[in-house]
Amino acid sequence: MQIQSTPIQYLTTINGKKLFIKRDDLNHPSIQGNKFRKLKYTLQLAKEKQHTLISFGGAYSNHIAALAAAGKLFHLPTVGIIRGDELVNQSRWGKTLITAEKNGMKLHFISRRAYREKIQSPEIKNIIQCYQNPLVIPEGGSNELAVKGVSEIIGEITEQSKQPFQRLFAACGTGGTLSGLIDGAKQYQFPTQITGIPVLKGAAFLYEAIRQLSQYHDAINWSLIFDYHFGGYARSTPTLQAFIEKFEKNYNVEIEPIYTGKLCYGVFDLARKSPPTKENWLIYHSGGLQGK
Ligand SMILES: *Cc1c(COP(=O)(O)O)cnc(C)c1O
């Protein structure tokens, strides 16, 4: 399975920092961004072994959207276990769930309590048992295969760009993507400082998550900056909205308020506050435009 190579686009220069963006939102029209990278090897495995792919997510989950789209494209059965039993009522569905079902995903709606327990919950165990040869993918798609898929982004960057990037930035949800970038930096000997911008409030759990997921977390210079969550997951403010609108107009790149808007805001703010030395900074555009 080949994922289309995506361009690196120059944005602007702030305080001597040349800001570039790796446009992984362009890697596929429907699976899009980091979620396609994360699913790549799981999809291959499922194809070989005839698995039914089962995963978890909220009503707006980019991972659920990507899994459903991939299921349709590669003719694999997919199942979504969705947080919130009130969603049994279809009039409450947003674009993500409507499209997921259109793409052939079988949806199950469960209480928030059962959802929290994941595969420990008897209700969820029963759902999984109903399917032949199930392969359960964690929430957000973050597993070992996801980290491997994401690490290939660094290989692509080293091939397409001769210039060094002193820093690389990515939005963090579960930390799978940042772990992949860390492992890629080691494997492809890409000398850069990697910074994650968590979009959740109280995201200190990410240090442990990344240590678990990344093989090379000890060998690479990486950090997390917790200042740009704007109140928590899927929260936004007028300041963030205004930044996104201006960004889209100035650079002709779409971003959204949940992940990439916070990421870009954070990087621009850090560039403004940094000492005026010449450097190249790269922002990883992880996609996520399906719910927009
Ligand atoms: C899911 C997602 C992330 C977060 O990825 P993790 O691997 O969970 O940290 C970042 N950006 C977008 C657009 C996403 O959909």
Side-chain angles (χ1 to χ4, degrees), residues 86-94 98:
E86 74 282 359
L87 290 162
V88 166
N89 180 351
Q90 291 201 14
S91 67
R92 298 190 178 199
W93 291 12
I98 293 170

Side-chain angles (χ1 to χ4, degrees), residues 34-35 38 62 140 142 171-178 256 259-260 286-288:
N34 68 336
K35 297 303 187 288
K38 290 173 85 169
N62 291 332
S142 290
C172 291
T174 62
T177 299
L178 205 78
E256 41 68 49
Y259 293 102
T260 51
S286 39

